[in-house]
Amino acid sequence: MAAPSSGAVTTSLKLDPELRDRLRRLADSRRRTPNWLMREAIAQYLAREEARERLRTDALAAWAEYEATGRQATGEAVDAWLARLEAGEADAAPPECRG
């Protein structure tokens, strides 16, 4: 099957009848196509899960660095730094890590 001119590729997706009906009703109420809703849902899911994976990867890297160096910032120092950022001090330096 030839891909549409937008560069998109056709993929099939099997839905149970209840889910398909819900999708059609929502698409009708939003004046969108079911295809548009499915693409939007998949794009949002991927963005959310990719962000979640970046957070997990960053947390594992931070933990590995802590295990290797023992260096950390105290909760109090981090709270004070965040309070300065919240107060509008965009250039507030992050707290020092100590080991």
Side-chain angles (χ1 to χ4, degrees), residues 10-11 25 27 33 41-43 45 47 60 63 81 87 90-92 94:
T10 299
T11 301
R25 282 193 303 272
T33 64
I42 291 168
Y45 174 82
L60 290 173
W63 180 252
W81 173 59
D91 59 346

Side-chain angles (χ1 to χ4, degrees), residues 4-22:
S5 62
S6 68
V9 178
T10 299
T11 301
S12 68
L13 179 64
K14 293 184 181 198
L15 301 174
D16 62 67
E18 180 187 347
L19 191 55
R20 185 190 65 222
D21 291 342
R22 289 172 56 199

Side-chain angles (χ1 to χ4, degrees), residues 53-86:
E53 184 60 22
R54 282 189 302 275
L55 180 61
R56 187 184 77 78
T57 301
D58 290 348
L60 290 173
W63 180 252
E65 182 178 347
Y66 168 73
E67 286 187 316
T69 66
R71 295 176 54 81
Q72 64 179 337
T74 65
E76 294 81 16
V78 171
D79 283 343
W81 173 59
L82 291 172
R84 288 194 306 277
L85 290 175
E86 188 177 35

